[in-house]
Amino acid sequence: MRKYPIGLQDFGNIRNGGFLYIDKTQLIYNLIESGNYYFLSRPRRFGKSLLLSTIKEIFKGNKKLFEGLWIHDQWNWEQIHPVIHLRLSRIDYQQFGLYEALNMEMGVLAKELGLELEATHLKGRFEELIRKASANGRVVILIDEYDKPITDYLEDLEKVEENRSVFKSFYSVLKDADEYIRLLLITGVSRFTKVSIFSDLNNLNDITIHRNYATIAGITQQELETNFAEEITERQPLQPDLLSKLKFWYNGYAWHEDAERVYNPFSVLKYMDGRDFRNYWFQTGTPTWLVKHMKESGEFEIENIHIDEIALGNLNIEHFSTVPILFQTGYLTIKGYDADTELYELGYPNKEVEDSLNDALLSAYRDVYPASNSVAVTTDLGKALKNNNMPQLIKALDVILSTIPYDHWRAESESIFHIIVHLSFKRLGLDVRSEVHSATGRCDILVFTDQYIFAIELKLNGTAENALQQIFEKGYLRSYQLDVRKKIAIGINFSSEKRSVEELQVKEME
C-alpha cells in the first residue's frame, strides 16, 4: 500500500519511511547554485518546510537519502556545510515572548552544531552562532515561517509591533554576515512591509514571483500523472474524467504569468489517500481574521482583480489591503499579466478555494456558523433559478434570510441583502456579477445560466414594481439582446421588519 506524506515535513523521515516524494531536487539545485540570498512566499501547506528540510540534508551531505533522485549524481556530497535551521513555528513565543523564545532557540541550535554561546542578549547570540558555526565552512541559514509570530497576532497590533521590533534587531545580524554565509533562504506566507529583512537585506532576492521557481512548491501536471500513475490507472475506469476533475478541484495556482500552473500538494495527497473530492486545504486553518476583515470592509466579490507587482508583494499591517492578503495566503492567484499596464489579473485558483471562501463569507455576512451549512440553504435557490421557478425562488430566499439570528439582524440598508444574494448564487457555481455598469445605470446583480440571463434589482422597504421598472428603464439587459438565452428581469423588495422577501415581480424581455 502506498504511503502518502500527509502532514510530514521532514525530508529524512519521508525518505527513510518509504513515503512518496515528488522530486524537486533539480529546481533546488538550480536555486542553491544560482545565488546566496533568497526569500520565498507560498501559502500554508504548500511544501515550504519540506523544501528547507531537503536543502538541509543536501548541505549536510546525506547522499543516501537522495538515491534515485535527480541531484544524486549532480552534487559534490563531500562539500558539507553547517546548517542553522530556524523554525519559528517550533519556538514557544506565545508563552515566553518572542525575544526570550528566540534567545533559547539560539542555545538549542548551537548545541545541535556542537557549539557553546557566551553572549547573553539575542542579537549577540545569533551573531556568535553564525560566526562560530562558520569555522567548519560557510553557513547555510534556513528560516521557516519567519512571519508566524506576526500573523498569529494580527488582531493585536501592540503585540505585532513588539514582535516586529524584536525581528528588526534579530535580522539585522544577517546584513553584516556575508563573509560567513553560503546560503540564506527565508520562507513565509506573507511579505510584510516594515520588517527589517526586506529593508535591511537589500541583497535578498525575492523569488515569490519568478518564472524559474514558480513550480518549486506544488505539483505540476506532469508530476501528478507520473507520481500518481498507479492511482490514476486504478481510478479512471470508474471515473473517466478523473484528470479534468482533479484539475478543476485542486489545480490553478500560478506564481508567474508564463509559468505552468500547479496543484495544491496537501489536497492532492488527501484525495489520493481517501479518493473523495472535498475541500481539504481550507479545513486545515480557516482564516477567521481574514473573513472578519473582509466583512468589516464590505468586500465579497474578488474575481477579475487587477493589481501592480509592488502592491501585490507587500502587506502593511496598519493598513490592510485585502487583495495582497488573499494572494499571499493562496485564495487568489495570477490569471494573467498586461505588459502595457504592468498589472496582474487575479482570480480564484480552483473550485476548492472558491467554494470554501464563499462558504466562509456567506456565513460571516449571515452571522451563521459553521460555514458548511451554506450548501444546504442555497441548493433550492440554485434549482429555482435554473428552472426559472419564481415561487420556489421566493421560498429559497426566505429560507436564507430566516436563518439569520435575530440578534445579528442588520438590515439598515439593502447592501446586506445584495451581498447575501450574490454569495448565495456564487456558492452554487453560477456566473454572478454585481454592480454591472451600463450606459445608463448599474444593475444590482446579473446571473447567467445555460438557458437564462437574469437581471435582479433589489429594494429594501420599497416596491418590487419600482425595482422591475428600473431594469427596463435603465436597459440592464439591452447589451445581451443578441444572446440566444432568455432574458428575465426580477424585481425584489425585502422587508426589514418581517426579515423576508415581501414582494417579487418578474418579466421576460421580449
Side-chain angles (χ1 to χ4, degrees), residues 365-368 400-406 408-409 420 499:
Y365 277 106
R366 292 166 56 229
D367 280 305
V368 176
I400 293 172
L401 295 175
S402 68
T403 58
I404 303 175
Y406 180 80
H408 296 296
W409 184 257
I420 290 174
R499 296 190 297 136

Side-chain angles (χ1 to χ4, degrees), residues 191 193 206 209 307-316 324 328 337 342-344:
R191 191 187 191 281
T193 57
D206 185 350
I209 301 176
I307 187 172
D308 65 70
E309 186 170 353
I310 294 176
L312 191 63
N314 289 303
L315 184 57
N316 190 311
Q328 294 174 25
Y337 179 74
E342 298 184 337
L343 293 176
Y344 285 98

Side-chain angles (χ1 to χ4, degrees), residues 421-451:
V421 171
H422 175 102
L423 289 171
S424 296
F425 289 136
K426 192 70 177 175
R427 178 58 188 87
L428 293 162
L430 298 173
D431 183 359
V432 187
R433 306 169 199 177
S434 281
E435 303 291 343
V436 181
H437 291 261
S438 67
T440 54
R442 190 172 59 185
C443 183
D444 279 346
I445 298 174
L446 283 170
V447 183
F448 299 81
T449 69
D450 292 338
Q451 294 179 293

Side-chain angles (χ1 to χ4, degrees), residues 105-365:
E105 187 65 11
M106 293 302 102
V108 172
L109 294 172
K111 188 175 181 180
E112 289 177 358
L113 294 169
L115 304 172
E116 288 188 10
L117 303 179
E118 297 175 3
T120 56
H121 62 284
L122 176 59
K123 184 176 178 179
R125 284 167 70 80
F126 190 29
E127 185 277 330
E128 184 183 358
L129 174 63
I130 295 171
R131 177 170 44 82
K132 285 186 173 180
S134 69
N136 297 315
R138 293 178 72 190
V139 180
V140 173
I141 303 176
L142 307 172
I143 300 177
D144 193 15
E145 296 189 82
Y146 93 96
D147 54 341
K148 199 168 190 305
I150 295 177
T151 58
D152 280 355
Y153 296 103
L154 286 177
E155 295 182 276
D156 183 352
L157 289 183
E158 185 176 337
K159 177 61 71 172
V160 166
E161 188 55 44
E162 176 188 324
N163 288 350
R164 193 162 57 183
S165 178
V166 171
F167 274 148
K168 184 171 180 61
S169 174
F170 179 73
Y171 288 126
S172 68
V173 171
L174 299 170
K175 184 178 181 180
D176 300 316
D178 186 62
E179 62 184 297
Y180 305 120
I181 297 175
R182 162 61 179 88
L183 177 73
L184 169 66
L185 176 55
I186 301 173
T187 69
V189 171
S190 301
R191 191 187 191 281
F192 289 103
T193 57
K194 299 184 181 180
V195 176
S196 64
I197 61 170
F198 303 113
S199 56
D200 294 344
L201 292 177
N202 52 17
N203 58 347
L204 193 65
N205 184 7
D206 185 350
I207 58 170
T208 299
I209 301 176
H210 195 299
R211 69 173 72 246
N212 293 342
Y213 307 113
T215 62
I216 201 166
I219 301 173
T220 67
Q221 187 66 35
Q222 182 179 352
E223 288 169 341
L224 177 86
E225 295 184 30
T226 300
N227 289 273
F228 299 100
E230 179 182 326
E231 291 86 346
I232 293 169
T233 300
E234 176 187 313
R235 191 71 179 168
Q236 267 189 324
L238 302 174
Q239 195 165 22
D241 63 342
L242 177 63
L243 286 176
S244 60
K245 198 168 183 181
L246 281 167
K247 183 179 289 188
F248 178 63
W249 271 81
Y250 305 124
N251 190 267
Y253 293 90
W255 282 280
H256 191 276
E257 62 273 18
D258 296 328
E260 182 179 358
R261 298 187 177 276
V262 296
Y263 289 82
N264 183 317
F266 180 78
S267 296
V268 168
L269 290 173
K270 287 288 288 182
Y271 170 80
M272 294 299 171
D273 184 52
R275 313 294 169 88
D276 294 314
F277 285 100
R278 292 179 182 166
N279 298 336
Y280 297 111
W281 176 73
F282 192 88
Q283 295 174 3
T284 64
T286 305
T288 53
W289 62 270
L290 175 56
V291 174
K292 179 181 177 182
H293 169 74
M294 292 181 68
K295 180 184 177 183
E296 290 174 350
S297 304
E299 296 172 284
F300 62 97
E301 191 174 19
I302 54 174
E303 277 278 31
N304 303 315
I305 292 173
H306 295 85
I307 187 172
D308 65 70
E309 186 170 353
I310 294 176
L312 191 63
N314 289 303
L315 184 57
N316 190 311
I317 297 169
E318 288 84 2
H319 306 286
F320 269 143
S321 179
T322 303
V323 174
I325 301 174
L326 289 169
F327 172 72
Q328 294 174 25
T329 52
Y331 299 98
L332 290 176
T333 196
I334 294 172
K335 293 290 188 179
Y337 179 74
D338 188 326
D340 293 331
T341 62
E342 298 184 337
L343 293 176
Y344 285 98
E345 179 187 346
L346 305 182
Y348 289 113
N350 53 45
K351 176 178 172 59
E352 177 183 35
V353 174
E354 182 173 5
D355 284 358
S356 298
L357 189 55
N358 280 320
D359 274 347
L361 286 171
L362 184 55
S363 292
Y365 277 106

